[in-house]
């Protein structure tokens, strides 16, 4: 969690004195490097590592104490923001549903390895994703890193503008009427930063007239779980809500 590094950063720039209730605090990668240059270990001064705070538990103590979280707003520039930056991934309490593969043959290669991408690709290949979203027209069209256009949004009463921030989705599918963006994990996730959903959502909403759907996928044991989230207000970071979820066991015909 790099508590010592972030404590040094807060001390050097007197960030403790900033009024986070009025505005976010903007900090650059260069300033982070300057404040941590005296640390010996790479993980204590590497900007990429210090700024990776994907769950509530990843936040340094100084962030927790001040009720803030970190958002990238431009390449090499970050905002320390007051508010709730994370969301819970709720347990799916419904019984496991049996899903029969749409294929009439066995996929041998899908059994090699144990990566989140492999499991997500298998769920797509047997049409589980199409079935979950009730759209038989979905095809894989998005993968890898992209950069966002400029857009503004709110966290609480604070206005934030971001531009050209790198995003990455594990898979994106396009159909006649919608685009589905998927964040995939291979282990139990209790909470995650909303940014992983919100930035790609804004990015692809900017480029497409079709509805954009956000999915979170998790493979645990032999269960394939999906959560679908929507944003009630495209300009409100915290307007995310769960719309449906399911847990399936896939069987062959």
């Amino acid at each position: 969690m790099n508590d010592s590094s972030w404590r040094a950063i807060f001390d050097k720039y007197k960030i403790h004195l900033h009024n986070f209730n009025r505005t976010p605090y903007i900090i650059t990668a260069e300033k982070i490097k300057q404040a941590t240059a005296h640390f010996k270990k790479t993980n204590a001064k590497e900007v990429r590592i210090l700024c990776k705070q994907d769950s509530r538990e990843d936040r340094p103590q100084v962030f927790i104490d001040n009720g803030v979280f970190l958002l990238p707003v431009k390449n090499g520039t970050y905002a320390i923001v007051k508010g709730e930056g994370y969301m819970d991934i709720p347990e799916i309490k419904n019984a496991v549903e049996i899903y029969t593969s749409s294929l009439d043959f066995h996929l041998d290669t899908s059994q090699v390895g144990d990566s989140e991408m492999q499991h997500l690709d298998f769920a797509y290949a047997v049409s589980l994703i199409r079935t979950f979203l009730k759209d038989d027209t979905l095809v894989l069209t998005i993968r890898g890193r992209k950069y966002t256009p400029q857009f503004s949004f709110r966290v609480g009463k604070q206005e934030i503008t971001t531009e050209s921030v790198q995003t990455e989705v594990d898979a994106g599918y396009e159909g006649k009427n919608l685009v589905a963006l998927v964040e995939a994990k291979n282990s139990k996730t209790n909470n995650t930063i909303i940014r992983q959903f919100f930035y790609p959502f804004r990015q692809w909403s900017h480029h497409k007239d079709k509805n954009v759907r956000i999915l979170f996928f998790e493979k645990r044991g032999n269960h394939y779980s999906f959560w679908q989230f929507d944003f009630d207000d495209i300009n409100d970071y915290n307007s995310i809500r769960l719309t449906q979820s399911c847990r399936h066991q896939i069987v062959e015909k």
Side-chain angles (χ1 to χ4, degrees):
M1 289 182 287
N2 298 297
D3 288 339
S4 298
S5 300
W6 275 106
R7 198 157 46 240
I9 296 167
F10 269 62
D11 288 345
K12 180 174 179 62
Y13 303 115
K14 297 180 172 57
I15 301 175
H16 304 84
L17 303 179
H18 181 76
N19 186 351
F20 288 106
N21 291 318
R22 294 186 60 186
T23 60
Y25 183 91
I26 305 301
I27 189 166
T28 64
E30 187 58 37
K31 284 190 172 183
I32 292 173
K33 290 178 183 178
Q34 291 172 5
T36 58
H38 62 285
F39 287 96
K40 302 299 183 184
K41 295 182 177 180
T42 300
N43 63 357
K45 57 184 178 180
E46 175 64 45
V47 174
R48 179 184 59 82
I49 296 174
L50 293 176
C51 294
K52 184 175 174 57
Q53 301 176 18
D54 292 342
S55 71
R56 291 190 185 100
E57 293 74 23
D58 291 336
R59 289 180 303 162
Q61 189 60 45
V62 70
F63 277 70
I64 296 172
D65 292 343
N66 286 278
V68 296
F69 66 101
L70 194 68
L71 285 176
V73 292
K74 200 173 182 180
N75 187 21
T77 305
Y78 301 85
I80 303 175
V81 186
K82 182 86 169 182
E84 176 55 89
Y86 300 84
M87 56 173 290
D88 294 324
I89 303 297
E91 284 286 343
I92 300 175
K93 297 182 179 179
N94 295 341
V96 177
E97 299 179 37
I98 300 299
Y99 176 80
T100 302
S101 169
S102 64
L103 302 176
D104 60 0
F105 61 93
H106 179 71
L107 291 175
D108 294 315
T109 55
S110 68
Q111 308 304 314
V112 180
D114 187 30
S115 70
E116 55 203 29
M117 290 303 303
Q118 163 196 342
H119 299 311
L120 180 60
D121 286 344
F122 180 64
Y124 171 67
V126 300
S127 287
L128 176 55
I129 295 174
R130 295 187 183 99
T131 300
F132 177 65
L133 290 172
K134 299 179 177 62
D135 190 336
D136 292 334
T137 68
L138 291 173
V139 293
L140 178 65
T141 58
I142 303 169
R143 197 162 255 175
R145 297 171 181 174
K146 302 286 189 297
Y147 289 87
T148 63
Q150 183 182 79
F151 63 87
S152 298
F153 60 96
R154 300 185 308 276
V155 177
K157 296 181 179 179
Q158 300 177 66
E159 184 88 5
I160 297 171
T161 298
T162 182
E163 180 181 10
S164 194
V165 172
Q166 180 178 286
T167 64
E168 185 172 6
V169 295
D170 291 308
Y173 309 95
E174 183 175 355
K176 288 182 180 179
N177 301 310
L178 65 86
V179 173
L181 308 173
V182 186
E183 174 72 20
K185 298 295 181 186
N186 203 22
S187 59
K188 180 176 173 56
T189 302
N190 293 319
N191 68 83
T192 187
I193 192 161
I194 299 171
R195 184 204 74 240
Q196 288 187 326
F197 299 133
F198 187 70
Y199 280 25
F201 170 75
R202 289 298 304 266
Q203 177 178 11
W204 292 102
S205 296
H206 177 85
H207 290 300
K208 295 292 180 183
D209 294 329
K210 299 177 182 180
N211 292 325
V212 177
R213 298 287 178 255
I214 302 295
L215 299 184
F216 182 77
F217 167 75
E218 185 178 277
K219 168 68 161 54
R220 201 186 312 168
N222 63 350
H223 295 163
Y224 293 73
S225 300
F226 283 95
W227 293 258
Q228 179 186 333
F229 298 97
D230 285 333
F231 287 91
D232 290 331
D233 182 347
I234 194 172
N235 296 309
D236 186 348
Y237 179 90
N238 292 114
S239 67
I240 192 167
R241 64 180 175 87
L242 177 70
T243 57
Q244 64 169 329
S245 60
C246 72
R247 203 167 32 142
H248 284 96
Q249 181 177 339
I250 299 173
V251 298
E252 296 180 274
K253 286 184 179 179

